[in-house]
């Protein structure tokens, strides 16, 4: 059976140095010999399962789920969200995209704007980019000195710990693409006028710093992974496989919450509608 | 000179067990032989200083100040705010009163609603009650089991640490009154129909648990005090003295920030208004 049993292989459990080069960007080992076309029925089934689980999450309204997605430019953050959550009730899924912080936001601590958007009971919230940019982008682009970003490792770890201990389940996904794959994706945006809006010349500046971004991501994944908020490094060169794996992680995680529909404290026959 | 030199005596610096009975509720030692009437000109002067310092805080717009006020019922939280900050620009001071959490708020972690209200650059925010209720009230009224409130000590300490390391100054005030003083204040609310709105029969239930509240406050002050976010135990039986001491702490703290008016990067003579 495809996409079963060993999703654990993408979860970072080990302590110690992370080398992204140890993680394949085009692995598809959980889908055997299958390819893109073969994957659709399975993704469809996972979407249905996710829809049902989200309904239960909402009905029970006791747990909250935060999905944090990080990736290099063109890594597929938008595409993953669109594909995996396409069948979930829009009321039950909130996607928060964090752009460059506003003046108002910079006038607060870095977690302030994020904390306001975390899920409430019964909700799934996806952070498309997150407080991790306040280390990653800040370090690579040298936006603030080390005295600012260094303490943030601890602040993120403790913030996530607090969220988890207060009842939130956190799923952290790093969509892992190769530098060659990024080149192809950028080129295809240039080649297709309908995709020009997705192209930003500044992305090339970031691309020139690919290795630096990788080093910082390795450091971040190493230092902010924990048993209560683990990172997953998703092979993301193949979009269909990335979607399958992320959908599977969502379904497995929600199943693991062992949710129950609530038992009402009234009897329907006692209620009279005038 | 009154109210000078040793405000430190109300700051909890020592490690180890706190006994509130070691702290006088009616001390007025920093004002020598002076009494209520004598205090007014000095309070007035402190208010003027505070007003000027707040203007500088706003102009510089680099620091943020969070004042956390906790007390037993009738301890004087509202009165302190009204008196001490009466001359500060209303745009520069925001008072947030946290009542019993709403359904929406309970559906999140306990810090969520508080975090949204922390000061931005150039702002003073006063928390009239705070996340400390999520330990104090929760413990004494047994609203949630120990597995919920116990981890919150750490979460508060780390949250405050994060705020401070990100640029917020935190001033924590426990307004310390005696049980007899509370009795008089409650009685005076009952005796005066214009004050009936301030009376809540439930306050008597809390009063019956005075010793339990004290024990939990002792534990909270002991465990959440730190050099970056110290507690002050303010003798609060005398309202005028309480106001003098709090105003003095505010002025000393803001002076200590060593703020400067910003230097503009343009010359007025270069600017032409058409």
């Amino acid at each position: 059976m495809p996409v079963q049993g060993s999703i654990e292989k993408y979860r970072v459990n080990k302590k110690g140095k992370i080398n992204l080069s140890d993680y394949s960007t085009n692995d598809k080992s959980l889908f055997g010999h299958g390819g893109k076309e073969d994957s659709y029925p399975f993704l469809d089934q996972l979407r249905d399962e996710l829809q049902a689980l989200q309904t239960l999450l909402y009905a029970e309204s006791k747990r909250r789920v935060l999905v944090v997605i990080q990736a290099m430019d063109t890594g597929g953050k938008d595409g993953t969200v669109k594909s995996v959550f396409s069948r979930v009730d829009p009321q039950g899924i909130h996607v928060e995209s964090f752009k460059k912080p506003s003046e108002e936001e910079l006038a607060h601590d870095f977690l302030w704007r994020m904390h306001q958007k975390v899920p409430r009971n019964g909700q799934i919230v996806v952070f498309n980019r997150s407080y991790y940019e306040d280390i990653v982008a800040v370090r690579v682009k040298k936006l603030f000195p080390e005295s600012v970003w260094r303490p943030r490792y601890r602040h993120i770890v403790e913030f996530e710990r607090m969220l988890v201990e207060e009842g939130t389940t956190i799923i952290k996904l790093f969509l892992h693409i190769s530098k060659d794959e990024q080149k192809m994706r950028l080129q295809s945006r240039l080649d297709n006028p309908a995709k020009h809006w997705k192209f930003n010349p500044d992305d090339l500046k970031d691309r020139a710093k690919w290795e630096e971004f990788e080093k910082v991501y390795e450091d971040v994944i190493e230092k902010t992974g924990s048993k209560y908020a683990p990172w997953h490094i998703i092979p993301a060169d193949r979009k269909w496989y990335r979607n399958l794996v992320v959908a599977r992680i969502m379904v497995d995680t929600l199943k693991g919450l062992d949710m129950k529909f609530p038992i009402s404290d009234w009897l329907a026959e006692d209620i009279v509608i005038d």
Side-chain angles (χ1 to χ4, degrees), chain A:
Chain A
M1 283 285 286
V3 204
Q4 265 199 341
S6 40
I7 218 82
E8 278 288 325
K9 69 190 294 182
Y10 304 127
R11 185 170 297 141
V12 183
N13 283 314
K14 62 166 189 173
K15 289 275 171 203
K17 205 92 202 83
I18 299 288
N19 282 305
L20 282 173
S21 55
D22 295 342
Y23 292 82
S24 167
T25 57
N26 65 354
D27 180 50
K28 64 173 191 79
S29 57
L30 295 188
F31 203 57
H33 296 294
K36 187 172 175 176
E37 306 296 325
D38 311 308
S39 77
Y40 292 147
F42 296 101
L43 180 59
D44 238 38
Q45 191 192 317
L46 287 167
R47 282 175 179 144
D48 282 344
E49 285 188 73
L50 185 55
Q51 179 193 31
L53 285 161
Q54 187 279 325
T55 303
L56 180 54
L57 182 83
Y58 183 77
E60 195 202 48
S61 218
K62 282 186 179 172
R63 342 273 171 125
R64 20 198 195 263
V65 177
L66 175 63
V67 183
V68 174
I69 307 185
Q70 290 287 151
M72 301 281 200
D73 290 329
T74 76
K77 298 183 296 297
D78 298 339
T80 302
V81 171
K82 196 174 168 186
S83 167
V84 173
F85 298 101
S86 59
R87 213 160 294 161
V88 172
D89 180 348
Q91 274 210 83
I93 174 93
H94 292 250
V95 183
E96 302 289 346
S97 299
F98 295 101
K99 308 293 181 192
K100 210 178 279 190
S102 70
E103 206 182 329
E104 171 76 11
E105 291 164 344
L106 279 174
H108 292 87
D109 65 82
F110 78 109
L111 291 173
W112 180 77
R113 64 178 182 147
M114 313 281 180
H115 201 168
Q116 297 178 35
K117 305 299 186 186
V118 300
R120 56 161 290 152
N121 282 350
Q123 232 180 24
I124 300 172
V125 169
V126 180
F127 280 4
N128 181 342
R129 296 187 191 274
S130 65
Y131 38 81
Y132 284 103
E133 296 291 341
D134 296 290
I135 292 177
V136 175
V138 165
R139 278 189 70 170
V140 175
K141 299 181 184 181
K142 297 183 173 47
L143 302 176
F144 293 114
E146 179 164 355
S147 60
V148 171
W149 56 256
R150 178 65 67 190
R152 290 181 174 174
Y153 284 91
R154 177 184 182 137
H155 302 150
I156 287 176
V157 168
E158 293 293 338
F159 177 64
E160 290 184 341
R161 184 191 184 108
M162 185 276 292
L163 290 178
V164 170
E165 293 190 352
E166 288 275 316
T168 300
T169 299
I170 301 180
I171 298 166
K172 300 192 287 195
L173 307 170
F174 177 72
L175 307 181
H176 186 31
I177 58 167
S178 67
K179 201 175 174 185
D180 283 346
E181 179 67 21
Q182 189 189 54
K183 186 181 181 179
M184 288 198 300
R185 293 186 186 183
L186 287 170
Q187 189 62 48
S188 89
R189 287 182 187 182
L190 282 181
D191 293 346
N192 182 351
K195 282 189 180 174
H196 279 186
W197 66 273
K198 283 189 167 186
F199 189 83
N200 181 342
D202 279 350
D203 291 349
L204 297 180
K205 286 187 200 155
D206 287 350
R207 178 169 168 80
K209 293 179 179 170
W210 180 274
E211 286 74 20
E212 289 173 65
F213 272 106
E214 275 204 330
K215 274 209 196 74
V216 175
Y217 266 120
E218 287 168 345
D219 193 51
V220 162
I221 292 171
E222 182 193 320
K223 291 203 171 66
T224 66
S226 61
K227 63 177 188 303
Y228 50 87
W231 275 103
H232 302 77
I233 300 177
I234 311 292
D237 278 357
R238 291 182 169 90
K239 295 173 184 176
W240 63 268
Y241 188 71
R242 171 201 75 198
N243 294 341
L244 267 187
V245 171
V246 171
R248 180 60 195 282
I249 289 172
M250 288 304 305
V251 166
D252 284 3
T253 304
L254 288 174
K255 274 186 183 165
L257 295 182
D258 194 28
M259 300 176 285
K260 309 239 182 304
F261 278 98
I263 297 162
S264 57
D265 53 3
W266 40 262
L267 292 170
E269 59 258 42
D270 292 344
I271 297 174
V272 179
I273 301 175
D274 288 305

